[in-house]
């Protein structure tokens, strides 16, 4: 399944879309703050219908998305 990765890059963060199964990468943008990068990643995930559990920071699931109870 496709994922969105938040990667620290210098003093900021890059938002990267990784399309599965092809492995194609697309950079959505960059942000200066962690919270800003999570918000951007959430917006892109909703636009592309990617579950929040597939948003990763430095290769790990973000805790409040990974362990939240479904409604």
């Amino acid at each position: 399944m496709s994922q969105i990765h938040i990667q620290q890059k210098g003093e900021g963060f890059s938002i990267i879309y990784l399309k599965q199964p092809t492995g194609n990468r697309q950079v959505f943008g960059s942000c200066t703050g962690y919270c800003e990068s999570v918000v951007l990643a959430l917006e892109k995930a909703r636009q592309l219908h990617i579950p929040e559990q597939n948003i990763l920071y430095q290769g790990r699931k973000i805790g409040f998305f990974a362990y939240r109870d479904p409604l």
Side-chain angles (χ1 to χ4, degrees), residues 5-7 12-13 15-16 22-23 29-31 34-36 38-40 43 45 48 50 56-57 63 65-66 70:
H5 291 261
I6 301 170
Q7 294 182 339
F13 300 88
I15 313 305
I16 300 167
T22 62
S30 59
C31 305
Y34 173 74
C35 292
E36 182 185 7
V38 171
V39 170
L40 178 59
E43 289 174 0
L48 298 169
I50 297 173
L56 307 174
Y57 171 71
F65 294 147

Side-chain angles (χ1 to χ4, degrees), residues 41-70:
L42 272 171
E43 289 174 0
K44 293 298 182 178
R46 288 189 180 126
Q47 289 173 0
L48 298 169
H49 306 287
I50 297 173
E52 294 172 351
Q53 292 81 6
N54 289 5
I55 299 174
L56 307 174
Y57 171 71
Q58 298 292 101
R60 294 183 173 178
K61 289 186 179 183
I62 298 174
F64 55 90
F65 294 147
Y67 304 109
R68 188 173 62 187
D69 291 331

Side-chain angles (χ1 to χ4, degrees), residues 9-25:
K9 182 178 181 183
E11 294 184 17
F13 300 88
S14 292
I15 313 305
I16 300 167
Y17 170 56
L18 180 62
K19 188 174 182 180
Q20 296 292 343
T22 62
N24 291 343
R25 296 168 53 105

